[in-house]
Amino acid sequence: MSCVHYRFQSRLTYDSLQFEGLNITVGELKRQIMRRERLKFCQLKISKAQTDEEYTDDDALIPKNTSVIIRRVPAAGLKSSNRRFVGHQAGLSAKSSQTGDSSLLSLEQLLKTENLAEAKASEEDKLKAVMYQSSLCYYSSRVAALLRISASGGAQGFPAASCWRWTTQTERES
């Protein structure tokens, strides 16, 4: 069996892909690599490892025992799948209702938003939401609920500093 040695530009080691015959087409190599690496929604650019000459034609033949470098590029016409549009929803924050700008999201809505960079909210609310979301993986659900209360301004008569002292004590006890 013949093989082609390939590596992604970000990797250090080569993997081998076996095939029948003396040559493999660039298009078939791309399909097999995408299936093997479980890649979706991207295109592959293949170039020779020794000369950095890029294979542009999918019908070009790659001889056996050749080393190639693979580069992933976003598929043309597809948007990134990790972004989520946050539209205007009811329930505005107190600050946005005071300023009269009704297009801003409340802090409670921001805490549930995945893409804060494109969310329509004040910078202060975005920073609070970032701090809250970044600390979720470190705390239990009980502490996360207290963080949510302190991020939204705290409960009436319950300062955030005493909230932190209480949570650190209960976390040490359990």
Side-chain angles (χ1 to χ4, degrees), residues 57-137:
D57 186 19
D58 280 352
D59 294 330
L61 295 175
I62 300 175
K64 67 178 183 177
N65 297 325
T66 302
S67 297
V68 295
I69 296 177
I70 311 294
R71 290 178 184 86
R72 283 180 279 218
V73 293
L78 290 178
K79 293 184 179 180
S80 177
S81 62
N82 63 350
R83 293 184 178 187
R84 189 175 91 181
F85 176 74
V86 179
H88 173 70
Q89 298 174 359
L92 301 170
S93 66
K95 191 176 280 187
S96 65
S97 61
Q98 289 173 356
T99 59
D101 189 3
S102 62
S103 65
L104 296 180
L105 294 175
S106 69
L107 183 59
E108 290 79 22
Q109 291 168 331
L110 281 175
L111 295 178
K112 298 173 188 172
T113 303
E114 291 178 6
N115 188 359
L116 294 172
E118 294 179 359
K120 293 186 177 183
S122 67
E123 289 297 316
E124 184 178 336
D125 287 346
K126 284 183 185 180
L127 286 173
K128 286 181 183 179
V130 165
M131 291 172 50
Y132 168 74
Q133 288 178 356
S134 65
S135 64
L136 280 180
C137 61

Side-chain angles (χ1 to χ4, degrees), residues 27-43:
E28 182 61 28
L29 180 64
K30 286 179 182 181
R31 281 189 289 279
Q32 288 188 15
I33 289 173
M34 288 183 76
R35 188 176 334 136
R36 185 176 189 182
E37 300 287 334
R38 296 183 181 143
L39 299 174
K40 295 180 182 178
F41 310 118
C42 69
Q43 293 178 348

